[in-house]
Structures are given as structure tokens and as C-alpha cells.
Amino acid sequence: MGNDTLDVLICGGGLAGLTCALQLRHAMPDLRVTVVEAQARPLPVACHKVGESSVELGTHYLAEVLGLGEYLRREHLPKNGLRFFVGPPDTPIAERTEIGPVESPTVPSFQMDRGKLETDLRRMVEDAGVTLLEGAKVVGLTLGEGGELHVARIVMPDGAERQLTARWLFDAAGRRRLIQRELDMAREGKPVASSAWFRIHEKLEVGALVPEHERRWHARDVDHTRWLSTNHLMGPGYWVWLIPLSTGYTSIGIVTDHLHHDPSSYGRKDKALAWIAEHEPALSRWLSTRELEDFKLLRHYSAASERVFSGKDRWACLGESGQFLDPLYSPGTDFVANFNCVATRLVREDRAGTSTPELADELIDMLTGWTDDCLRTVGDNGVYFGRAEVFAPKLWWDFTHYWDCACSYFFNRGYELDLEDHRRVRGAVEQLFRLNEQAQDLFDSWAELGASDQQRRKAFVGLPPYPGFLTDRHLALAKPALGDALRPRLEEHIALQRSVLQELFLRALTELGEARALGDSMRSAGWRPHLSAERIACEQLPRDERLEHISSYARDMDRAFGRARGDGTPLSTLLTLAGFHVDRGASTPKRTRPST
Amino acid sequence: MTRDEILKNVVEILADSFELDPEEIKPESTLYEELGLDSIDAVDIFVQLRELTGRRPDPDVAREIRTVEELVSFVESELAAAAAGEPEPELPPPGAGT
Ligand SMILES: Cc1cc2nc3c(=O)[nH]c(=O)nc-3n(C[C@H](O)[C@H](O)[C@H](O)COP(=O)(O)OP(=O)(O)OC[C@H]3O[C@@H](n4cnc5c(N)ncnc54)[C@H](O)[C@@H]3O)c2cc1C
């Protein structure tokens, strides 16, 4: 390779670095890309890294943008959505509320063995013409400012040192955070939470943790596909993941927030097993006859940065080297996807001589917006763990918001729009962000004001209900809205989400009864409802007549969570107490039959 | 499960899910006319019945069911089929074609 200047140098060949290299070469087959990766093959099967469960956005990136769909279907497991078993302390799994899909999702996601995935990606990257230096370590960086080239010092496997010079420099070294350290921009992240994980060389059916006499609980899983979900065993301040891998292993991890649990209490194999025995005894019994293949603890896993991307100086922090929030909804691969796509676009524009600082700033601002939005959704989420009555409605919202906002933008290649179109799309996306902030404020108040009520526990909350509004939101991802069609699509989503948020508010108001406090908190969030008298009055009608007056999503919420029940105070009274005005313009529905 | 137990379970599911008075639900009650249910309710009933039968129902059979009694007979025959190890009907995955 001599001393030639590279187009792109990628430090670190994990998920982010390898996929970025592949994407760059697909976009520009003659681009000179080198990846420096410290760990040489062979990589261990299964016991390699966390980040094994993908969700829709990241899956779309791997399957469609990189064209790995067939590979994933062949070599990894199809994922049956996110599934949660939520309950107060010391509740057997069958007695917790199960929240999960009614039917296997049509829009795919996967459970991926990271050892296998990265081994295969390394081969693909080499086949695509990338230079992969394995067993080589980046030991120093000199970032070129104001158009200068970047220089990296590398220690080769034989101990020899060499320098690489590149026009673009991407840090993909994960938690080593090379650029962040170099520029001293690393910041403490939120939420304050920790995790430990290990693998077992055996398939774990979550059903194996529930006694056979719980017939209904077992019967619910008609297709025997529950084990293919990312199963979350959830209690106050913690959750435990169970992720199956195609290589016959099961990945198991503990995640806790610092308010409820000290990571030192599960920081070693033996302590982790004791912690599991205390909090998840059924899992502990299953583990007692099995061997832990590996073990790792990560304290305070979230990581933030002041800046993660510079278009002007041509560097970026991809994947975990930039930031990491929280694994609850498995968004790690989504971050990899969003950042890699912007990185690839900016390299391409730079090469074609068409890049402008405005375009770079625009795309980078969008990335920052996603991060903040995602943080609002998952930051400090420990208060919801174990509380199905708030967590289930929150999940409902978080799913619609995720599908209608981040996924819609990404599936329709929003990051490829030209500057003006992108600005307009971002305007719409920011309205969706705003609605999400208000929704999260609602859930925070709901959790704070409400007392968890086990009397009304629902055994199974089908999310999304099938068929139904939420399933349609999910399926809408498969219907393209490219180019000019994206903004009108997002505008539709804004209107829908406004109404969905309103319904969630009515539900919270009915269940909590704390009208004044809830009203105050939503007002200070800047929320203004547009409630029709018809919608409010129909709460008093018999069921079949009421159904004629409520929206499909209001009905679906009833189907999923049960009808909202409070202390009997009419909704109109609660709204007045909350200080919200009802629009009298719409006609009041007539009672056509006396109620029984 | 005896027929009576099945009836009790079915009445419980109907009453809990659709705000019905259990006293009002008689074996001969028609689901759609008398109990006022609609097609989405029907889907939800069959999802809930899976907890009794452990099987995915054949939609053609499900569509023909009109009364509470027929629902009970349906559960009874599903349970018998499950006990006899009969294969479940071949069904396209939900959402296929959308
Ligand atoms: C508890 C937990 C659970 C998670 N669960 C999920 C999940 O379910 N789904 C999901 O999508 N994401 C999840 N994530 C996030 C996921 O782990 C990351 O998004 C993903 O692994 C990041 O990939 P990466 O390439 O940035 O980093 P890595 O995969 O860590 O790659 C970094 C690479 O850089 C190399 N390297 C380091 N230093 C140097 C150096 N000096 N020179 C050369 N090479 C170097 C390393 O050897 C490594 O291969 C989870 C994260 C945590 C903490």
C-alpha cells in the first residue's frame, strides 16, 4: 500500500466499521478504504459481543441497504418482536403481564450471533475490495484540521509501527472512543444504568421457566415462537434479556438502573447467579444445571459526546465510539445505520465535488435530533420497569413513534434528499419529536401520579393487536414514500400521532383521576388538545354505540389494555378539572337506545 | 374440560372483553345480533380462545360460528383434535399479501 493517501480510514472493524466499509465500497467501487481491527480471526462463536438483537431500522439497513437480507434469513434467526413479562417483585413469570406481538411481525428483524456475523462481514468486506488489517492496533491519531489529512499510528501484528494517512477518518473502535479521547469530548451519558451478560450453550425456551400446569400461559403460544422474541423478564428497576442465537446458544443479560440496584451486586459470575436467584428464581433453577460460557460486566453503559461528526474536518464517530444510550429497545444497530448512511453520503458528495457545509450541517443536525429524541424515549426509563399499567401504553406510543418517525425517514432514504427537501422533511420530523416529548411527559406523570394496581392485571397485552391500527402502522413501512412523497407521508403521521396522544391522555386521565396535576403537567409541556364534545360524550353510551364514535386506535387501546376505568367521575368533569376546554362545535351523539 | 367448564370459560371471556353482563349470555345467544359483537370482536374472541385450545383456528370454520353454543362446541372439538394430535390447519402467515 506504500504511503499512498487513503480515501477513508476506519479505526475498528466491529459492526459499525465493517458495515460502513461495505457500504462505502458498494457506493464507490474504486474508493480506497482500509479498516484497522485489533482482534484477529478466528472470532469466538456467540461469546463475542452484545448487540445481538436488531429492530426494524437497523434490520432495514443490513437487509436492504447493504443487501444482506438473504444472508440474515439463512444464517441467523428471525426475531418475533419484543416481548416483556412485567410484574411487581417476586411474581412468578406466568402471573406477570405478558406484553408482546399477537402474530409474528411481517416487517422483519433478527437475532444475530455477533461472532458469526462479524466473521462473515470480514469476509464480505475483503471480497468487496476493502483492505482489512487484522490484529493491528491504532495507537495514535492526529486529526487534520481545516482540510488537512488525518494521520493514524498503527502497531502491526508483528510489532512494527506504521503510519496511515487518509482524507476521511472514521472512528469505529467502540468503547475505546479514539476520537472522543483525542479531542476530549467524551461526556457522561444517560441513563445511569449498568449491565452484565453471558451465554449458555443451549436453547432456552422461555416456556421452560413456567410450570406445565400454567396451561393457558403455554397455550397462548400457538405457533411455539415465543422463544424467538427478545424476551425481557422485568421487575422494579431491572430487566433480564433472553436472546436466542442461530448457533444454538442463548444470550442472557441483566440490566439495572442505579436507583434500584448496585452493579457490584452482580459484577462476577457467582454474584450474578446469586442476583438471579433472588430476582428471577425460575431462571436461576434453569441455570443451576448449566455452565456459563463467558461473563462480562459493563458499569454505567451509556456514553455521550459533545460532538460526533465533523463534515468540515471529515471525521466521524460511528457506532458506539460516538455514543450509546440504552439497550431496552435494542437501538444500537439503528445508530450504526443512521450514522453510516450520512457518512457514506458525505464521502460521496466530497468525492464528486458537490459537498457543501450546509448539507453536512443539515444531515448532522438530523443525527443529533434522533439522538435527543431517542434519549427522551429511553432515558431514565427505570421507573416503568415492573409497572405494566404505564409501561404498556408507553410501549404503544414508543412503537408508533418509532415506526412513523425514525423508520419512515430511514426506510424512505430521507438521508439522500437534497438540501431543500431535507430541510422540509426535517421540519416535519421535528414536529414528531415535539409530540414525542409531550407523550413522554405524559408517561412520566402517569408513572409518578399512579399507584400500580395488581387487581386489574391483564394476563396478556397483545402489542400490536392484530389486525389493527398499530399493525397497520407497522405494515405501512413496507409501502414506499420516496423523494417528494416522504414529507406528505410524515404530515399524515403528525396528524395521526396528535390524535393518538390525545387518546392516551384521556386514558391516563380516566385511570388516574389526578386531573389537576395531570392537566398542569401537560400544559407545561406545551400540549393543547383538540377534544370534540362528541368524543367525550360517547363515553357514556352503551358499548356498540360508543364504538361508532371512537377512532380505530382508541378501540385498539381498549382491545390491548382493556377499557380505561377510574372512580366513575365522568370524563367531561375530569377534563374541566384538568383545565381543558372541550370543543362544543361538534354535535353530541344521541342515545339511540337506553343503556342497560 | 367438560362442556360446562368450557361454557363457563367462554362466558367469562365474553363478559370481560366486551362489557357484557354474564347473566345475559345464554348458550343460545347469537354473538352478532343479540350480544352486539362485530367482526373485530370475533377476531379477538378467537385469539383469546387459543388460551383454551392451544391451537390456531381455521378461519373458515370460525366464520360459520353464530351462537355461544357453537363457540363451545368449537372449543370442544379443538380440544379433542389437540388431544388426538391432529395436525393444525395449514394457514398462510397473517399479514401475507399486505
Ligand atoms: C448491554 C448492551 C446491550 C446491547 N444490546 C443491543 C441490542 O440488542 N441490539 C443492538 O442493536 N445493539 C445493542 N447494543 C449496542 C451494540 O452493542 C452496539 O451498537 C454495537 O456493538 C456497536 O458496534 P461498534 O462497531 O460500534 O463497536 P464494537 O462492535 O465494539 O467494535 C469495535 C471494534 O473496534 C476494535 N478496536 C478497539 N480499539 C481498537 C484500536 N485501538 N485499534 C483497532 N481496533 C480497535 C475492537 O476490537 C472492536 O472489534 C447493546 C449494548 C449494550 C452495552
Side-chain angles (χ1 to χ4, degrees):
Chain A
M1 198 163 57
N3 286 325
D4 285 357
T5 301
L6 298 166
D7 292 309
V8 182
L9 172 62
I10 301 177
C11 307
L15 186 63
L18 293 170
T19 51
C20 184
L22 200 57
Q23 187 177 9
L24 286 167
R25 286 287 296 197
H26 285 172
M28 292 157 279
D30 57 345
L31 197 75
R32 278 167 310 163
V33 184
T34 290
V35 176
V36 181
E37 165 55 45
Q39 192 176 355
R41 276 171 284 190
L43 305 179
V45 175
C47 308
H48 187 46
K49 288 177 185 166
V50 277
E52 296 150 315
S53 191
S54 75
V55 282
E56 289 84 346
L57 193 157
T59 307
H60 186 82
Y61 175 67
L62 298 173
E64 307 300 328
V65 178
L66 297 182
L68 302 178
E70 220 230 276
Y71 162 78
L72 289 168
R73 280 188 291 278
R74 195 181 59 235
E75 300 292 339
H76 299 273
L77 293 175
K79 171 173 158 183
N80 186 10
L82 300 164
R83 191 175 298 278
F84 302 87
F85 298 92
V86 187
D90 308 320
T91 315
I93 293 169
E95 286 166 36
R96 301 182 200 171
T97 298
E98 174 175 358
I99 309 173
V102 180
E103 300 290 355
S104 294
T106 305
V107 179
S109 52
F110 292 94
Q111 310 288 19
M112 307 175 298
D113 180 314
R114 281 289 290 268
K116 175 164 182 48
L117 179 66
E118 289 187 17
T119 302
D120 296 339
L121 278 172
R122 286 191 190 191
R123 193 179 20 83
M124 291 180 216
V125 156
E126 287 180 322
D127 290 349
V130 171
T131 306
L132 177 60
L133 302 178
E134 282 181 309
K137 211 167 162 186
V138 179
V139 292
L141 292 179
T142 310
L143 290 173
E145 279 170 46
E148 301 269 308
L149 298 174
H150 307 292
V151 183
R153 280 194 302 124
I154 319 284
V155 175
M156 298 300 286
D158 60 7
E161 227 185 82
R162 63 189 271 200
Q163 288 202 346
L164 293 178
T165 311
R167 183 165 170 80
W168 285 84
L169 186 109
F170 293 147
D171 180 2
R175 288 178 177 271
R176 284 287 141 75
R177 313 188 81 198
L178 301 173
I179 290 183
Q180 294 299 322
R181 289 198 179 152
E182 173 68 25
L183 299 183
D184 195 19
M185 293 187 305
R187 298 287 173 268
E188 291 263 294
K190 268 183 113 177
V192 184
S194 296
S195 177
W197 59 85
F198 54 87
R199 279 91 180 174
I200 300 290
H201 195 175
E202 195 174 323
K203 172 180 166 184
L204 167 58
E205 283 266 9
V206 56
L209 307 181
V210 171
E212 237 171 89
H213 66 77
E214 297 284 359
R215 298 277 290 272
R216 287 191 163 202
W217 189 93
H218 287 284
R220 200 181 295 147
D221 181 21
V222 279
D223 297 326
H224 312 293
T225 50
R226 212 182 224 146
W227 70 285
L228 286 169
S229 302
T230 295
N231 283 296
H232 302 69
L233 310 178
M234 204 177 239
Y238 78 86
W239 53 276
V240 172
W241 79 69
L242 311 175
I243 297 178
L245 302 176
S246 64
T247 43
Y249 288 77
T250 301
S251 167
I252 299 177
I254 300 169
V255 181
T256 65
D257 82 6
H258 281 203
L259 286 178
H260 296 77
H261 300 267
D262 177 357
S264 307
S265 65
Y266 56 83
R268 278 194 330 239
K269 258 188 202 185
D270 55 337
K271 288 186 173 181
L273 289 173
W275 187 97
I276 291 171
E278 183 185 343
H279 298 284
E280 293 291 345
L283 177 61
S284 168
R285 278 190 295 278
W286 187 83
L287 286 171
S288 64
T289 53
R290 289 160 176 94
E291 203 54 47
L292 274 58
E293 300 276 324
D294 61 339
F295 184 85
K296 201 163 162 116
L297 169 75
L298 185 56
R299 281 174 197 272
H300 194 165
Y301 52 62
S302 62
S305 325
E306 211 164 279
R307 207 150 61 98
V308 287
F309 214 126
S310 170
K312 180 170 69 63
D313 292 334
R314 301 182 313 272
W315 57 258
C317 305
L318 307 176
E320 263 184 6
S321 77
Q323 58 213 342
F324 180 72
L325 307 181
D326 190 84
L328 179 63
Y329 297 148
S330 314
T333 309
D334 292 12
F335 275 85
V336 169
N338 276 316
F339 276 72
N340 282 4
C341 287
V342 170
T344 301
R345 168 127 194 230
L346 292 183
V347 171
R348 211 181 62 221
E349 301 272 358
D350 179 42
R351 218 165 176 238
T354 50
S355 73
T356 62
E358 290 78 17
L359 178 70
D361 288 347
E362 171 67 20
L363 294 173
I364 294 166
D365 283 352
M366 186 69 137
L367 292 177
T368 312
W370 292 131
T371 309
D372 293 346
D373 182 62
C374 194
L375 184 60
R376 186 66 193 91
T377 303
V378 299
D380 288 331
N381 53 24
V383 293
Y384 302 104
F385 302 167
R387 301 209 24 210
E389 80 288 356
V390 204
F391 187 57
K394 176 171 156 64
L395 274 173
W396 172 293
W397 171 268
D398 291 349
F399 283 153
T400 24
H401 178 64
Y402 173 60
W403 293 334
D404 273 1
C405 186
C407 288
S408 293
Y409 172 91
F410 189 84
F411 276 53
N412 292 301
R413 311 276 197 271
Y415 53 84
E416 288 293 352
L417 291 173
D418 66 34
L419 181 62
E420 286 313 311
D421 286 341
H422 195 276
R423 281 187 173 145
R424 278 189 287 270
V425 160
R426 187 151 69 95
V429 166
E430 278 174 356
Q431 289 189 57
L432 290 166
F433 288 167
R434 182 91 193 93
L435 281 164
N436 186 42
E437 281 170 27
Q438 295 172 337
Q440 301 304 333
D441 283 351
L442 173 69
F443 298 120
D444 285 348
S445 306
W446 198 336
E448 193 185 313
L449 299 169
S452 121
D453 177 357
Q454 275 305 288
Q455 293 297 297
R456 297 193 348 253
R457 188 187 74 87
K458 215 166 177 280
F460 176 58
V461 174
L463 267 197
Y466 179 87
F469 171 82
L470 204 53
T471 305
D472 290 347
R473 306 309 316 134
H474 200 205
L475 291 173
L477 288 176
K479 300 190 190 112
L482 294 159
D484 286 349
L486 179 54
R487 195 170 66 102
R489 173 74 65 90
L490 293 171
E491 303 278 353
E492 280 168 38
H493 295 176
I494 293 168
L496 277 172
Q497 295 213 14
R498 268 211 186 100
S499 316
V500 167
L501 177 53
Q502 200 151 287
E503 280 304 329
L504 286 165
F505 171 77
L506 293 179
R507 175 166 282 275
L509 189 64
T510 309
E511 300 223 321
L512 285 173
E514 301 273 354
R516 216 156 282 143
L518 197 61
D520 286 347
S521 112
M522 291 310 281
R523 245 187 316 281
S524 68
W527 185 69
R528 299 283 173 277
H530 301 278
L531 297 159
S532 74
E534 178 182 359
R535 169 68 191 88
I536 305 307
C538 76
E539 287 304 304
Q540 311 292 329
L541 297 180
R543 178 173 189 268
D544 52 344
E545 289 173 44
R546 175 175 172 273
L547 288 182
E548 287 170 23
H549 293 285
I550 63 171
S551 56
S552 63
Y553 36 88
R555 178 171 188 180
D556 280 1
M557 286 176 200
D558 289 353
R559 292 167 66 201
F561 316 133
R563 182 86 185 266
R565 267 178 248 283
D567 63 1
T569 314
L571 196 49
S572 51
T573 311
L574 289 170
L575 276 167
T576 310
L577 285 172
F580 287 121
H581 166 79
V582 175
D583 179 7
R584 302 270 156 211
S587 67
T588 312
K590 281 194 200 66
R591 216 173 254 256
T592 50
R593 247 180 25 186
S595 71
T596 41
Chain B
M1 236 185 291
T2 66
R3 228 183 130 77
D4 274 352
E5 282 166 347
I6 297 173
L7 177 66
K8 199 172 138 267
N9 277 305
V10 167
V11 168
E12 203 178 283
I13 288 174
L14 293 175
D16 284 357
S17 309
F18 309 116
E19 300 166 37
L20 296 168
D21 176 358
E23 298 291 308
E24 247 182 275
I25 307 169
K26 303 276 180 270
E28 62 279 9
S29 307
T30 58
L31 300 172
Y32 306 107
E33 292 79 14
E34 290 171 27
L35 300 182
L37 306 183
D38 65 13
S39 58
I40 297 176
D41 295 331
V43 174
D44 291 344
I45 293 175
F46 286 100
V47 168
Q48 295 216 45
L49 288 181
R50 294 176 187 182
E51 295 201 3
L52 298 182
T53 65
R55 286 163 65 92
R56 189 180 268 291
D58 181 337
D60 290 335
V61 175
R63 214 170 291 130
E64 294 302 311
I65 291 171
R66 288 281 171 271
T67 65
V68 173
E69 195 150 37
E70 285 167 24
L71 214 47
V72 173
S73 302
F74 164 79
V75 173
E76 200 173 37
S77 72
E78 286 285 278
L79 286 172
E86 270 174 41
E88 296 182 37
E90 285 280 328
L91 300 170
T98 24

